[in-house]
Amino acid sequence: MVENTGMNTYQRLAVRLHELGMITRRKADEAVTCTADWGEPRPDRRSEGLAGVLEVCEVALQVHGEDVDFAEDAYTGILESAERMTGGAVTVTDVGLVGAIGSPRTLGFKVNGEPKSWWIEQESDDYLDLDAVREGIRDLVPGGGDPRVFHRVPGRGVCADDHYLLATPGQAAALRDAEDFKSSETVVRL
């Protein structure tokens, strides 16, 4: 692995994810290379940048707070990201958004063959119901002997994206308490 000296904040986060056992050495090396030219984050963009590293390292998924092209496709993308992040412990099938735009809708799907549904309230097909995702994300945890759960990393401001970090409570606490990232609302608010 590339040595953790002279690195920017983003690269140090990738190294820390590896040290915590959240990503492989190879994934950390790829992220260090990918973020090498990112420079130091501006204070007003630090949270978004660190959340971007979590995505690059495939330990967090993004839930758009601003408009999306089609809500059903965006929800499907969230479910697929969760499935991918669990390494196959969770399989999601039969995804469908039912109901008319502007009225309560249901996002139905199966997790490991078991039917699940989220109540979706949205005025337009261009936006997601962030509260529905926040309340339903627990349907996508690996379970069994896998202690990882989704930790919400809320976006800053109105219409900001939320991120969900898949980590053990100990890993999330270690990131939250890490000196390198303490000033970042992204990690602090885990």
Side-chain angles (χ1 to χ4, degrees):
M1 173 172 287
V2 179
E3 193 173 323
N4 187 0
T5 58
M7 294 182 167
N8 65 40
T9 301
Y10 305 119
Q11 292 171 306
R12 288 193 304 275
L13 177 55
V15 169
R16 187 68 179 130
L17 293 172
H18 171 66
E19 291 169 352
L20 291 170
M22 297 175 69
I23 60 174
T24 65
R25 179 179 176 159
R26 180 178 178 189
K27 178 57 79 178
D29 287 342
E30 289 171 4
V32 165
T33 300
C34 175
T35 59
D37 63 350
W38 286 19
E40 282 303 314
R42 295 184 347 222
D44 63 329
R45 302 295 298 171
R46 183 176 171 95
S47 295
E48 293 84 358
L50 290 173
V53 174
L54 298 175
E55 283 185 80
V56 165
C57 292
E58 299 176 352
V59 294
L61 60 86
Q62 180 181 31
V63 179
H64 290 287
E66 292 194 9
D67 77 351
V68 296
D69 291 332
F70 299 99
E72 184 171 359
D73 292 345
Y75 288 120
T76 299
I78 292 165
L79 298 173
E80 289 172 348
S81 292
E83 178 180 35
R84 185 175 50 258
M85 288 168 52
T86 67
V90 170
T91 57
V92 179
T93 58
D94 304 330
V95 179
L97 186 58
V98 179
I101 295 171
S103 65
R105 304 167 86 184
T106 303
L107 177 69
F109 55 96
K110 291 183 180 177
V111 174
N112 297 338
E114 183 181 333
K116 303 284 182 183
S117 64
W118 296 351
W119 290 103
I120 305 295
E121 293 187 36
Q122 58 197 53
E123 296 294 318
S124 163
D125 202 37
D126 298 332
Y127 293 91
L128 301 179
D129 182 344
L130 300 182
D131 290 335
V133 176
R134 186 184 73 242
E135 292 172 15
I137 197 79
R138 66 183 156 264
D139 289 335
L140 305 172
V141 298
D146 190 333
R148 295 176 300 165
V149 295
F150 285 98
H151 302 266
R152 181 173 172 246
V153 182
R156 294 175 55 188
V158 177
C159 295
D161 295 349
D162 286 343
H163 289 80
Y164 288 86
L165 172 72
L166 183 62
T168 67
Q171 290 167 331
L175 286 172
R176 183 181 54 244
D177 297 338
E179 287 301 319
D180 272 354
F181 317 115
K182 271 194 174 201
S183 64
S184 169
E185 291 183 23
T186 297
V187 180
V188 169
R189 296 184 337 179
L190 283 175

